[in-house]
Amino acid sequence: MIRRNARIRLTEADRDMMRAAGRFNAELLDVVRPSVKPGVTTEQLDKIVHDYTLDHGHIPACLGYAGDAGAFPKSCCVSVNDVICHGIPGPYELKPGDIANVDLTTIVDGWHGDQSETFLIGESSDISQEAREVTQCAFDCLYLAIEAITPGCRISVIGETIVDYVQRNYGFGIVDKYVGHGIGTKFHQRPNIPHVPSAQSHRDRLHPGMCFTIEPMINGGTARSLVDQRDGWTVRTRDGRLSAQFEHTILMTEDGPEILTTTQDGPQSGFQF
Ligand code: MF3
Ligand code: CO
Ligand code: CO
């Protein structure tokens, strides 16, 4: 009998393919990083992502990715302020005080790396307290969840850790409509990785050889969201409050989680915004 999820347990060779994909994706985020500043348009960031990816012989997974609303038109997502996720790069110019999530996914030799960071735009004095707090909260949620998971643990450990931390320290909204996901030769695959516990996540486990993302989205107010009716992609907070997100691609090994998308230049575990 084939056990559930058996087909997504990676061999050692497959794990190395995922490591290479994660490494390239993280390098790409470091390439974009210096440009994420006031005055840049989000489509200029997209062009950097697109060109660097193609120049290295890889594929931007977002470009043409099929959703309910048709194909995603750009090579990455940039989600500013009240945009929770799936922001489409365009003519908007980042300005001091904005928070902007840059979410990159690359296909390297058939395997996917997926990660995001939220950037505080401008000088420290430009940033509102709420902007700093939602960003810190989302960042802490990601690393606390990674620290909490162990080989064979229930996926619900992630949601339990995040809910406990957010309720104790902030009372922010934790988005439950959009979730982390299994990842490998497909961009999105089973299992779902919800950031609040769900019935299914109490049953599913993180076995060695599984690759998945953790990508908590934290809102200053309500967790509820609305999809833009015109473009069919952009997801905003219903109340217009800010939203922040961080994401890593993770391999569960026999010894514990291995983060595959660690950057050279980005914030590391324990970072204070
Ligand atoms: N990168 C997002 C994720 O973390 C998905 C973006 S899909 C797109 O799963 F089509 F909007 F690009
Ligand atoms: Co993802
Ligand atoms: Co992503």
Side-chain angles (χ1 to χ4, degrees):
M1 181 184 119
I2 296 174
R3 295 182 59 197
R4 271 188 86 217
N5 289 340
R7 67 197 164 82
I8 52 176
R9 293 189 201 180
L10 303 185
T11 64
E12 203 46 55
D14 292 342
R15 298 182 193 195
D16 282 341
M17 299 301 285
M18 281 302 293
R19 290 184 176 108
R23 198 176 312 120
F24 177 79
N25 206 68
E27 174 186 314
L28 178 59
L29 189 51
D30 280 331
V31 166
V32 181
R33 182 179 309 284
S35 302
V36 186
K37 59 182 190 205
V40 77
T41 67
T42 56
E43 65 198 354
Q44 286 172 328
L45 299 176
D46 183 73
K47 182 166 170 32
I48 297 169
V49 170
H50 182 86
D51 292 353
Y52 191 86
T53 303
L54 266 60
D55 286 349
H56 288 77
H58 305 313
I59 300 168
C62 294
L63 187 58
Y65 185 77
D68 297 339
F72 193 80
K74 295 289 185 180
S75 296
C76 65
C77 298
V78 183
S79 300
V80 182
N81 294 335
D82 64 326
V83 178
I84 297 173
C85 61
H86 304 166
I88 302 173
Y92 180 79
E93 261 183 38
L94 296 181
K95 64 176 192 311
D98 284 346
I99 61 172
N101 176 273
V102 178
D103 192 339
L104 307 182
T105 312
T106 314
I107 312 173
V108 175
D109 300 326
W111 297 81
H112 291 72
D114 183 13
Q115 74 194 114
S116 79
E117 282 180 28
T118 295
F119 294 81
L120 305 180
I121 307 301
E123 302 302 320
S124 183
S125 56
D126 299 323
I127 308 299
S128 71
Q129 185 178 340
E130 177 158 302
R132 197 182 302 281
E133 284 185 356
V134 290
T135 303
Q136 187 72 54
C137 180
F139 182 82
D140 293 346
C141 285
L142 172 59
Y143 282 92
L144 287 168
I146 294 170
E147 283 166 25
I149 58 178
T150 53
C153 74
R154 292 179 197 276
I155 289 177
S156 53
V157 165
I158 292 168
E160 286 156 3
T161 301
I162 290 172
V163 167
D164 182 66
Y165 176 73
V166 175
Q167 287 185 348
R168 266 177 213 279
N169 296 282
Y170 294 97
F172 289 148
I174 307 165
V175 174
D176 58 354
K177 184 105 183 254
Y178 300 89
V179 297
H181 48 92
I183 186 169
T185 55
K186 284 174 67 182
F187 190 166
H188 296 110
Q189 61 189 31
R190 285 191 313 166
N192 277 347
I193 309 285
H195 306 104
V196 301
S198 68
Q200 188 61 47
S201 72
H202 285 293
R203 294 190 282 272
D204 289 338
R205 290 177 181 274
L206 294 174
H207 295 290
M210 289 175 68
C211 270
F212 53 92
T213 71
I214 303 179
E215 47 183 299
M217 286 148 270
I218 301 297
N219 298 350
T222 180
R224 298 186 70 207
S225 58
L226 263 181
V227 177
D228 188 299
Q229 286 305 294
R230 283 155 307 183
D231 68 33
W233 281 102
T234 310
V235 182
R236 292 190 182 81
T237 58
R238 256 184 208 251
D239 58 7
R241 302 271 289 269
L242 299 174
S243 184
Q245 180 180 25
F246 288 82
E247 175 179 26
H248 273 310
T249 298
I250 294 155
L251 166 68
M252 181 56 80
T253 76
E254 288 70 13
D255 301 326
E258 178 180 333
I259 303 174
L260 303 185
T261 43
T262 298
T263 59
Q264 297 279 322
D265 305 335
Q268 308 294 327
S269 181
F271 186 83
Q272 295 297 307
F273 289 86

